Amino acid sequence: MLFRLIGGFLFGLPVLWGLLPQPAIATEQLFALAIRDGRLGDSAPTLQVSEGDEVVLELSSDQDLELHLHGYELTFALAAGSPALWRIAAVHSGRFPLEAHDRAGGDRLLLYLEVQPD
């Protein structure tokens, strides 16, 4: 009787475990971006990811820039001619502008990071 009870309990654990909510696994979203003259092109693209994703920006630029992701209040220094990776945990949903700030004090909108709620 005791063995049957223990066996039923142990057999039931995996079934119960499958019913519990499982944590979402973060997905890495990689975007390669080449910045020329402080711009990505004629218009600012929108990068779409899901809340909980890890955003990886593979960056290159022909000039020294400081990048600022508004809403997340993150900054990143990018040196001319030196490819770099910037990892951002997409923990807040919304639409966030990424701006480039150059040494002359100019601000340019590069893109929007749009984080969809999970």
Side-chain angles (χ1 to χ4, degrees):
M1 177 72 174
L2 181 60
F3 288 116
R4 222 184 263 173
L5 182 61
I6 292 173
F9 176 74
L10 292 177
F11 178 75
L13 277 179
V15 172
L16 289 175
W17 183 259
L19 297 175
L20 295 174
Q22 301 299 313
I25 297 172
T27 302
E28 184 176 279
Q29 301 290 339
L30 175 65
F31 300 95
L33 306 169
I35 303 167
R36 300 291 171 251
D37 296 322
R39 294 186 167 86
L40 284 173
D42 292 335
S43 63
T46 299
L47 307 180
Q48 294 183 332
V49 300
S50 295
E51 194 172 4
D53 285 351
E54 180 178 27
V55 179
V56 180
L57 302 180
E58 188 176 274
L59 302 161
S60 65
S61 177
D62 59 353
Q63 57 186 266
D64 292 343
L65 297 172
E66 181 179 273
L67 305 181
H68 181 213
L69 182 60
H70 292 273
Y72 278 73
E73 303 313 319
L74 297 174
T75 58
F76 186 82
L78 183 59
S82 296
L85 286 178
W86 188 14
R87 294 182 177 275
I88 303 163
V91 294
H92 305 292
S93 61
R95 191 167 196 243
F96 307 98
L98 176 66
E99 287 186 344
H101 306 289
D102 62 25
R103 289 187 178 180
D107 298 338
R108 292 192 182 105
L109 176 65
L110 288 178
L111 59 85
Y112 290 99
L113 177 63
E114 194 168 276
V115 181
Q116 301 294 324
D118 192 22

